[in-house]
Amino acid sequence: MPRHSAALDRATQARIAEAALLLVGEHGPEALTFRALAARLDISLASLQRRCTDLAGLLDLCADHLAARLPDPEPEPVPAAEWADATEARFTALYRLLCAHPGLLALRGTRPWLGPQLLARLVEPQFADSLAAGMSPEVAIAAYRRMYLLTLGSAGFVDHRDPSAARAAVRTALAALDPADFPALTAHLATVVPAITDHEVYRGALRQLIAAADPTAHRAPGRGTPPA
């Protein structure tokens, strides 16, 4: 009978993901190495590598561990009249989750987020709701893709955990511009700089995409304009 390994007990997927996310959150994305993670988990490098063979696998594990924190999907598609609200709630939840973990976003780069938790909690219910609301598969997946890319880009472009530093960097860069060459930007620093970290920029853009895709709005001409 094989000997039970306490190290492997400490190397569950959940513990590995939590430790990796803490390491990145505390020390930045460059701190995530297999050696540092093994030390934090108090296991051997070999034990960790048996669970995650490479960095790509580790990042996929972390991403899907986070996705498990998204709201549980509804057992059935929502009524068409509730499509817009359900869509906004799903993507806003994803946005908040991603903004809280900018280091993981930086490490993953352009790798797709296609783990089972994200598929089950976001992609499948969103696609199913859109089909049930009357969209064709082509229109439904295009609408999903637009909102997904908006969310990923909006969360990843700025480290929202330190908005003052992000605004200061932009202010410094713009203040160095020659007003003769950049009259619009230099004349409106007070307006431009806060928008860099304003979450409402994302929310307004998301609502506009939702309003443009909303099948109930298309069936009812004259409905009000989307909120900003």
Side-chain angles (χ1 to χ4, degrees):
M1 180 176 180
R3 186 171 59 181
H4 183 73
S5 170
L8 288 178
D9 284 345
R10 292 193 296 275
T12 63
Q13 290 187 339
R15 288 182 177 180
I16 290 171
E18 285 291 346
L21 290 168
L22 284 172
L23 193 60
V24 172
E26 292 169 3
H27 304 292
E30 65 280 355
L32 183 60
T33 66
F34 269 56
R35 193 170 299 280
L37 183 56
R40 173 165 287 225
L41 290 163
D42 192 24
I43 62 175
S44 70
L45 188 59
S47 294
L48 178 58
Q49 289 172 330
R50 280 197 288 270
R51 295 295 195 194
C52 300
T53 57
D54 57 19
L55 181 61
L58 174 60
L59 295 177
D60 287 344
L61 178 65
C62 291
D64 213 46
H65 182 76
L66 280 182
R69 301 177 187 176
L70 292 172
D72 291 332
E74 296 291 336
E76 299 292 337
V78 301
E82 299 174 17
W83 179 88
D85 288 341
T87 298
E88 182 173 351
R90 284 196 192 102
F91 281 98
T92 300
L94 177 63
Y95 174 74
R96 291 193 186 112
L97 192 65
L98 297 179
C99 282
H101 296 275
L104 180 62
L105 273 175
L107 284 168
R108 287 185 60 84
T110 58
R111 287 179 60 78
W113 294 65
L114 291 173
Q117 290 290 348
L118 187 72
L119 291 172
R121 294 170 180 270
L122 177 70
V123 186
E124 172 65 22
Q126 183 61 41
F127 192 50
D129 280 0
S130 297
L131 295 175
M135 292 185 190
S136 69
E138 294 79 10
V139 170
I141 197 61
Y144 168 83
R145 185 70 176 166
R146 292 185 189 105
M147 295 174 208
Y148 166 78
L149 291 175
L150 170 70
T151 304
L152 204 61
S154 297
F157 194 74
V158 176
D159 185 346
H160 291 284
R161 293 179 307 172
D162 193 359
S164 60
R167 289 193 295 268
V170 173
R171 184 180 293 108
T172 299
L174 296 185
L177 297 176
D178 185 340
D181 295 327
F182 300 91
L185 287 173
T186 55
H188 298 282
L189 283 178
T191 300
V192 173
V193 171
I196 298 301
T197 55
D198 186 359
H199 295 293
E200 193 56 36
V201 172
Y202 164 73
R203 296 188 185 103
L206 177 63
R207 290 169 190 150
Q208 288 176 345
L209 287 178
I210 290 171
D214 188 349
T216 62
H218 297 164
R219 289 196 295 264
R223 184 177 174 178
T225 57

